[in-house]
Amino acid sequence: MSTPTTGQALTLSDLIAPHLPYLRRYARALTGAQQSGDTYAASTLEAILADPSCFNAESVGGKVALFKVFHKLWSSSGQPVAELDDGPRARALQHLASLTANTREALLLNTVEAFSVSEVADVMEISSDEAARLIQLARDEMQQSVSGKIMIIEDEAIIAMDLEGICSMMGHEVTGIARTHKAAVKLGLEEKPDLILADIQLADNSSGIDAVADLLEELGDVPVIFITAFPERLLTGERHEPAFMIAKPYVPDQVISAISQAMFFSSTDTLTS
């Protein structure tokens, strides 16, 4: 898409396109799956095309306006997640449903999508005081609810140590840190993790995505959080994509929120609640 020249009026596409990958990321984190998240994002676009007046970018900006339309649809649908008959994943979703209403949404908007408290209030159509209360409540509820084993795939020592410290602070056990594709596969097979936290580019110029793909072939359905400086390159809709992603440079709250979300949607048997 070409960038409008100075003085040229922005089209609806110009206002929405830069923010669409992040809406899809957010929708996937809420629902716990790529397909269901993308369905909600597509419904948001359809709603705007049907009634462009609902997308009021002039008053709040394109990103807030886009997420605000999404939230109206999300709230009116009852905020559902995938229905599963039995198993650990179903129990995790049941636990998720017991959280205080709207706390998860407020936390994700603030920590992962980097909205200010006032912007969260705009998106959710609540007061700033209520938005701040929901964010804090979400932190308290989610950090206390689930713990498990986390494997870290990261070639930068300082970042790896930082991630390890965050995981430990949250009460999780770090099974180890791998810097290469080969080391990651070996570590993951030695002790199955409940969650994998993976960088995209590794020390031997191999791909963290490929390492995770090889691990999941052996381990089955383990939740993964990818860390990348270019999240929009993975959120194209052209292939299987992660539901959870952190953009570099990150802040600790983003990591905490993503881990808590991913643990909720985990399908492993070893998680405790």
Side-chain angles (χ1 to χ4, degrees):
M1 179 181 296
S2 60
T3 302
T5 59
T6 303
Q8 180 179 348
L10 294 175
T11 66
L12 198 61
S13 178
D14 293 328
L15 293 168
I16 292 174
H19 311 299
L20 185 56
Y22 304 102
L23 180 71
R24 294 173 63 227
R25 172 177 67 181
Y26 174 67
R28 293 172 185 186
L30 280 181
T31 62
Q34 177 178 341
Q35 183 176 356
S36 54
D38 286 353
T39 296
Y40 270 97
S43 296
T44 301
L45 297 181
E46 291 169 3
I48 294 172
L49 291 174
D51 180 15
S53 67
C54 71
F55 178 74
N56 190 6
E58 291 184 4
S59 63
V60 294
K63 188 174 182 181
V64 171
L66 180 63
F67 277 65
K68 192 169 184 176
V69 175
F70 170 91
H71 259 274
K72 288 181 179 178
L73 293 174
W74 175 251
S75 298
S76 65
S77 68
Q79 307 172 359
V81 292
E83 293 185 3
L84 298 167
D85 294 332
D86 197 10
R89 183 177 173 86
R91 292 194 295 272
L93 294 178
Q94 290 170 1
H95 183 80
L96 184 61
S98 71
L99 288 178
T100 302
N102 295 321
T103 57
R104 204 162 46 95
E105 292 83 345
L107 182 65
L108 277 173
L109 288 169
N110 179 240
T111 59
V112 174
E113 300 305 331
F115 283 116
S116 67
V117 172
S118 62
E119 288 172 331
V120 172
D122 260 336
V123 169
M124 299 181 69
E125 298 187 319
I126 57 179
S127 70
S128 292
D129 286 346
E130 177 64 6
R133 186 188 72 83
L134 290 173
I135 292 167
Q136 186 57 53
L137 187 57
R139 288 193 178 103
D140 294 342
E141 290 184 342
M142 296 185 71
Q143 289 183 40
Q144 296 171 7
S145 60
V146 182
S147 62
K149 298 178 180 180
I150 299 179
M151 171 185 169
I152 298 173
I153 305 174
E154 170 60 63
D155 65 330
E156 295 186 38
I158 293 177
I159 295 178
M161 290 174 63
D162 184 51
L163 293 173
E164 182 178 25
I166 292 172
C167 293
S168 298
M169 178 272 295
M170 294 178 68
H172 303 299
E173 175 189 345
V174 176
T175 62
I177 299 171
R179 300 180 66 249
T180 66
H181 182 148
K182 182 177 180 179
V185 173
K186 182 175 183 294
L187 177 62
L189 295 181
E190 286 175 350
E191 184 172 6
K192 181 178 179 180
D194 297 314
L195 181 144
I196 300 172
L197 195 56
D199 193 3
I200 300 298
Q201 186 66 42
L202 302 181
D204 57 352
N205 292 319
S206 61
S207 166
I209 297 175
D210 292 340
V212 166
D214 289 346
L215 275 171
L216 296 185
E217 283 187 5
E218 300 293 332
L219 302 179
D221 186 16
V222 175
V224 180
I225 300 172
F226 280 109
I227 304 175
T228 174
F230 306 101
E232 66 278 0
R233 294 182 183 177
L234 288 180
L235 297 174
T236 62
E238 297 174 355
R239 58 184 176 185
H240 180 73
E241 300 167 349
F244 302 98
M245 188 179 305
I246 300 170
K248 287 183 176 180
Y250 62 80
V251 296
D253 266 355
Q254 291 175 312
V255 180
I256 291 168
S257 179
I259 290 174
S260 297
Q261 289 285 317
M263 285 293 196
F264 267 120
F265 286 101
S266 174
S267 62
T268 59
D269 287 316
T270 54
L271 296 183
T272 59
S273 60

